[in-house]
Amino acid sequence: CGGKIKVLKNREEDLVNPPNQYAITKHTSELIGLKLGRLYSIPTVVLRYSIVHGARQSIKNLYSGALRQFVLQLSEHDYVEVHQDGHQLRDFISVKDVAQAHKIVLETNQADFEIFNVAGDEILKVIDLAKMISKVMNKKARIIAKGHYRLGSIRHAISDNSKLKKLGWKIKHTEKENIVDFINWVKN
């Protein structure tokens, strides 16, 4: 129609169509957990995480995410390489806020046999995350977008966390705090 495209947030009730083997295994685990929970009357909850960041995140695992990758690149170089064009959208979430989500769903029967997105409110372009990390590390970094794509990777990954918020969950930590915590942890 010539209008501007708006990215829609993923909701828990949306049709699940996993784009790769990693997503397929996550969805299969959800189905198994909920089915066995109902079958044996064991209260079960599914938490779907967005991109979790924070101190003590593995610096060895290549799949640990952009925060790890960018901090390590900037520790060694004056540049950061981003996938695609760097303009893909993500909602990063603090591991501390994820821990609170676990606490809340464990303490209420309202969560039993439900699915909840554990996602951040702050929507960032990956390239902006790289710039934030560069600034916190006090480095003037070149951002290099070579256009590389990971097979099965989606363009934008944004989730709606309103269902979890109805249980009283609140985000308390910003992405900048996550970056500072992680960098300090890596240094130490």
Side-chain angles (χ1 to χ4, degrees):
C1 68
K4 189 172 182 177
I5 294 175
K6 181 180 177 185
V7 176
L8 299 176
K9 293 183 176 185
N10 298 316
R11 297 171 305 169
E12 293 87 350
E13 64 273 8
D14 289 346
L15 175 68
V16 177
N17 184 17
N20 57 42
Q21 68 277 15
Y22 175 67
I24 291 168
T25 61
K26 288 171 68 171
H27 182 58
T28 303
S29 297
E30 290 179 4
L31 296 173
I32 293 168
L34 289 172
K35 181 59 77 178
L36 291 177
R38 284 189 183 101
L39 185 64
Y40 293 105
S41 299
I42 301 169
T44 306
V45 179
V46 169
L47 297 178
R48 291 180 179 162
Y49 308 126
S50 283
I51 302 168
V52 181
H53 281 169
R56 295 177 186 80
Q57 178 178 343
S58 173
I59 58 171
K60 296 178 183 176
N61 183 348
L62 289 174
Y63 203 80
S64 290
L67 176 60
R68 173 212 157 274
Q69 180 181 339
F70 297 163
V71 168
L72 292 180
Q73 284 181 8
L74 286 170
S75 296
E76 299 287 324
H77 310 287
D78 66 344
Y79 64 86
V80 173
E81 288 186 13
V82 297
H83 289 292
Q84 301 180 21
D85 61 0
H87 290 266
Q88 56 274 39
L89 300 174
R90 299 290 184 264
D91 58 352
F92 303 100
I93 182 77
S94 166
V95 68
K96 294 173 185 176
D97 289 322
V98 171
Q100 285 303 312
H102 280 254
K103 185 176 184 298
I104 284 172
V105 300
L106 285 169
E107 292 175 346
T108 180
N109 294 341
Q110 287 176 274
D112 293 354
F113 309 106
E114 293 290 334
I115 299 171
F116 296 93
N117 290 329
V118 186
D121 286 333
E122 200 175 348
I123 299 170
L124 290 174
K125 292 178 185 175
V126 171
I127 199 166
D128 291 334
L129 175 69
K131 290 175 185 175
M132 286 174 69
I133 294 167
S134 176
K135 187 173 182 178
V136 169
M137 292 180 74
N138 201 25
K139 287 198 146 198
K140 187 171 173 96
R142 294 178 292 126
I143 310 295
I144 302 169
K146 291 186 175 179
H148 295 154
Y149 288 76
R150 288 193 305 195
L151 191 60
S153 186
I154 59 175
R155 177 67 174 166
H156 303 300
I158 308 297
S159 296
D160 181 348
N161 60 20
S162 59
K163 184 175 176 184
L164 186 58
K165 284 182 173 180
K166 288 177 184 169
L167 295 181
W169 179 72
K170 294 180 182 134
I171 294 175
K172 296 180 180 174
H173 304 278
T174 66
E175 186 56 22
K176 184 172 181 187
E177 288 176 275
N178 294 332
I179 292 168
V180 170
D181 285 350
F182 183 75
I183 291 170
N184 288 337
W185 176 75
V186 169
K187 285 178 182 176
N188 290 326

